[in-house]
Amino acid sequence: MSDVLTRAVHQVRSVSLGPATAWRDGELVVSADEARALLSSPCLAEVKITWASPGDAVRIVKILDVVEPRTKGPGGAGIFPGWTVPAPSSPAEAHGQGAVHVLRGAAVMVAGYLPRAQEAVVDMTGPAAALSPFGSTHNLVVEFTPTPDADWAEVDDALRRGSLVLAAHLAEAALDAPPDEVEELPGPGPVDGLPRVATITNLQTQGAFKDVFVHGRSFNGQPPTLVDPGELDAGAVISGQFGHPSLRNPTWAHQNHPVVNALRARHGRDVSFAGVVLCPEPVNAADKQAVSLAAARVCAEAGFDAVLITKEGGGNADADMALKMDALEELGIAAVGLFAEMAGPDGSGPPIVVAPEKATAMISTGNYDTRLDLPEMERALGGAEVALLNVPATAAMELPTAVILAALSPLGWGHLTCSPVPA
């Protein structure tokens, strides 16, 4: 059983650029010069820093990752292990305990071209704004120009490291300010008489630009691992996955894991929150089967009664979900899967590429293929064109929900349902 994790929440109500990064009664002032210095790298010729806030007539395109500003003290003090501080060498050195300071309502967003990155869009106003968590955050958008002949992998690494250091730097501005709210989050542990419910979080691991990192290392080829959920709050899981925008779990989503937050909220009431199992999503079928069986064994050995399973990516990832759900059911563990549907524009097609054979409890997070009419915008950040349509990024256009970043969040963030939600 882990210690209680404390979140000191500073609510960001307004933002601006200024000569020095500072926190002033709910306003986050950021120095563009300081931000560029933190992102400085031989492989980046230019970095541009711009705010995009809710209600702005701005479209952000080619989004790579989004990070919530957090710190645990001066210099980060253990935030983003493996990036801003060395990775823990043993479970005893884990970074999931203590207090974490959060700038809620702000995000560091990296946007621009990388190979294999699929177009990801966020509108700050209009009908698509509510479909992404980032239509309602103040986004510090980092745009970049690589140096000539720069290695793309090095560009990717520089952006990731720089954005994490920048996120920690922004949160440090509020360290000495009283928080707006203090959240005491229980760690997992048994509660007499209540079912032990955990989550399996699948991480896409398909090579460069479609990878996820745990403690600074690719999770590709790693075994299913039971972790303290506080590790997620500390930024142990970092996205490097740039495919399937609506099904993508940016770093922000792992920091604010909705299933984990829901289980924490119900811990001691009607469930006993039991923990988080991280799993890779291998490419070939044999490895998927082996990982799924191993994950089910981890859950059985830990004494879990039920598991909620989340994924990342498209149809290939449906197989990871289905195999794990069936393996859990075979061991007598109730399994619930969060799936996005790929059912065609009218919703009449087969919704899941690979369905479980034994498990039957599935939750839809929406339809990947639903079409959206987006209005014209005044400004665009991240690029001048939406590559999917070859049209100006500011133009009115029709796009599928598939393109809206995290709109079908397999971690459970989304607002899409099969019928209207009662007010």
Side-chain angles (χ1 to χ4, degrees), residues 77-103:
I79 208 75
F80 306 125
W83 300 98
T84 63
V85 293
S89 59
S90 73
E93 296 180 10
H95 294 278
Q97 288 80 43
V100 58
H101 290 259
V102 180
L103 295 190

Side-chain angles (χ1 to χ4, degrees), residues 335-364:
V336 179
L338 277 69
F339 288 86
E341 301 179 47
M342 294 181 168
D346 64 355
S348 64
I352 299 172
V353 175
V354 181
E357 297 179 359
K358 300 178 178 65
T360 58
M362 291 177 280
I363 298 170
S364 171

